[in-house]
Amino acid sequence: MPRIDLDDLTDPRYTGFLRDFTALRDVQLRTRREPAEGLFLAESVEVIRRALENGYVPRSFLLSPHRYAELAGDLPGDVPAFVAPPELVEALTGVDLHRGALGSFARPAPRSVPDLLTALAPGPARLVVLEDIADATNVGAIVRSVAAFGVDGFVVSPRCADPLYRRSVRVSMGTVLHLPWARATSWPGDLDLLRDAGFTVAALALSDDSVALGEFAAPERLAFLLGAEGDGLSRRAITAADVVVRIPMDPRVDSLNVAAASAVALWETRRA
């Protein structure tokens, strides 16, 4: 299907495609709908290109004329590309889409923690495990650090924000689209699966028996456990970890943002 210049949001030929892009302001609705309907959204020219390069199957595109001109050479000819002025895009989505580019893609099948562990190569490996991080921006920023510092994949707890939610994907700069990840189904029970696979689970937290990050001898197979904004890791998660690691800092500051903390910890424990 070629370029479609959109001027009527009620055209019955297109409403099925356009439904993918509705109610973007309603986070709770979108986080329920997208997994249930088997889709995720890629926002911006760069993230759409990354999704296509990584083999994700597009459903449709919603683009400003300028962004269509940038992407035209990358778009598959059999997928509808709706081109609309900003005011019509805002009427459809409910947001001011200043990046001017959205792609709807088929969501990959969920991966379990055993699936993720099976996909990892034997030998040295690093994982990041996120417990109940609710802010999609933080999830995206952590995933970007995971990619930047050569981490092999990540795990999210059952209540953690969706790594394929639009804001997470955008903040990660699309790096989430080439990283293997899994959602735990038993929490914190699935940490035992990591341990059985040879990983040392290191909780990043403040405690009396914690090891300073600079003094922590990172093992060959390491899983860093990061907690929710504000409250940090739950007591159950800390108890399930093998070791607690802290980032030394000025005593007038009690903690870092979880995304910043992840970058510090992953840089310090990076493999040569």
Side-chain angles (χ1 to χ4, degrees):
M1 190 178 293
R3 165 177 172 159
I4 300 167
D5 288 291
L6 192 64
D7 56 13
D8 181 5
L9 298 179
T10 64
D11 190 321
R13 294 174 296 173
Y14 308 136
T15 50
F17 294 106
L18 296 177
R19 187 177 184 277
D20 285 2
F21 305 107
T22 58
L24 298 191
R25 193 180 297 277
D26 191 333
V27 176
Q28 290 188 342
L29 174 64
R30 294 298 308 193
T31 52
R32 291 195 306 270
R33 266 186 56 191
E34 292 182 13
E37 297 177 16
L39 67 98
F40 72 91
L41 296 185
E43 182 181 356
S44 82
V45 168
E46 294 79 9
V47 175
I48 288 173
R49 282 186 176 139
R50 185 157 285 178
L52 293 169
E53 289 165 0
N54 281 280
Y56 288 88
V57 179
R59 294 159 57 109
S60 58
F61 301 95
L62 180 63
L63 307 164
S64 69
H66 177 66
R67 298 307 184 198
Y68 177 82
E70 287 186 66
L71 274 168
D74 301 293
L75 301 179
D78 58 346
V79 177
F82 296 98
V83 180
E87 60 273 14
L88 206 61
V89 171
E90 185 170 357
L92 175 65
T93 64
V95 297
D96 178 11
L97 196 70
H98 63 277
R99 289 172 180 79
L102 275 178
S104 174
F105 288 83
R107 180 177 284 255
R111 183 187 278 114
S112 68
V113 172
D115 292 337
L116 174 63
L117 293 171
T118 299
L120 293 178
R126 286 189 303 163
L127 295 173
V128 164
V129 184
L130 308 182
E131 182 189 43
D132 297 356
I133 296 178
D135 189 288
T137 299
N138 279 336
V139 170
I142 293 168
V143 170
R144 192 168 176 180
S145 292
V146 165
F149 300 126
V151 178
D152 298 283
F154 66 97
V155 175
V156 297
S157 71
R159 298 195 302 173
C160 189
D162 180 12
L164 290 181
Y165 178 62
R166 174 176 58 97
R167 189 175 298 126
S168 297
V169 177
R170 186 186 74 226
V171 173
S172 82
M173 289 299 293
T175 56
V176 68
L177 302 177
H178 72 253
L179 287 167
W181 64 276
R183 186 174 290 278
T185 55
S186 172
W187 190 259
D190 276 2
L191 295 178
D192 290 335
L193 300 177
L194 303 183
R195 193 174 293 105
D196 291 344
F199 283 88
T200 296
V201 179
L204 199 63
L206 299 175
S207 71
D208 293 338
D209 60 348
S210 61
V211 179
L213 182 60
E215 300 169 4
F216 175 55
E220 284 199 338
R221 289 171 78 82
L222 170 65
F224 253 126
L225 180 57
L226 304 171
E229 305 88 347
D231 293 336
L233 287 167
S234 69
R235 176 50 52 187
R236 289 195 308 155
I238 292 174
T239 301
D242 298 299
V243 61
V244 180
V245 179
R246 71 181 186 279
I247 298 174
M249 62 187 74
D250 190 300
R252 292 170 295 183
V253 180
D254 61 356
S255 66
L256 291 172
N257 166 272
V258 64
S262 73
V264 172
L266 295 179
W267 166 258
E268 185 68 24
T269 57
R270 70 197 183 283
R271 293 196 298 268

